[in-house]
Amino acid sequence: SFGVLEHVTEPEKFLQETNRVLKPGGKLFILNLPNKFALPELTAKALGLFYHDMRYTMREARKLIKNNGFECTGWREFVIPAQVDRISANLGKFFNKHYKGIDSLDRMLMFTPLRFI
């Protein structure tokens, strides 16, 4: 589920149906779930690029996932937004060219107060 759960009108039903159709022992990966207090979300909102139907705190997301039949086994909080091409095509090209360094920087930043959790 890449950038989906925040656009689903009934996330509980989405997760329950996903759980139903998974093979026994199957795993659900949820990627790009916006944290309502993360720097990218706050920045996007300030720039008028706010477009997510739902945003979650880490606690809300973990509770939603657990209450609908899944175990949360891993979590990574991104500080640097992944889809900067929505802000600027040139910025997107820069990020694509330098993604390894940017990812390393992001991994370091996730242990700082910039996480905004």
Side-chain angles (χ1 to χ4, degrees):
S1 170
F2 185 88
V4 173
L5 193 57
E6 65 271 20
H7 299 287
V8 174
T9 56
E10 298 181 73
E12 294 84 3
K13 287 185 180 181
F14 170 79
L15 290 169
Q16 290 164 7
E17 181 64 8
T18 302
N19 200 4
R20 186 187 71 76
V21 299
L22 276 174
K23 291 181 179 180
K27 298 193 183 293
L28 168 65
F29 292 86
I30 299 174
L31 307 169
N32 275 16
L33 184 63
N35 182 316
K36 70 172 73 173
F37 300 122
L39 185 58
E41 286 298 310
L42 296 173
T43 303
K45 186 174 182 179
L47 294 173
L49 302 171
F50 189 66
Y51 58 92
H52 291 121
D53 299 319
M54 294 291 298
R55 296 173 302 135
Y56 300 90
T57 64
M58 188 179 298
R59 179 179 292 153
E60 290 169 342
R62 287 179 189 255
K63 183 178 177 183
L64 177 67
I65 290 164
K66 184 179 178 184
N67 288 349
N68 288 283
F70 292 96
E71 178 185 354
C72 187
T73 59
W75 197 276
R76 172 143 182 232
E77 181 82 18
F78 292 96
V79 176
I80 299 172
Q83 299 169 333
V84 296
D85 57 322
R86 292 182 179 180
I87 298 169
S88 159
N90 288 333
L91 189 57
K93 288 177 188 176
F94 176 82
F95 268 54
N96 287 337
K97 184 176 180 180
H98 302 287
Y99 73 92
K100 286 183 181 179
I102 292 168
D103 188 58
S104 295
L105 175 63
D106 196 45
R107 286 178 186 269
M108 288 186 290
L109 290 173
M110 67 185 235
F111 296 106
T112 71
L114 290 174
R115 290 174 36 188
F116 283 58
I117 297 174

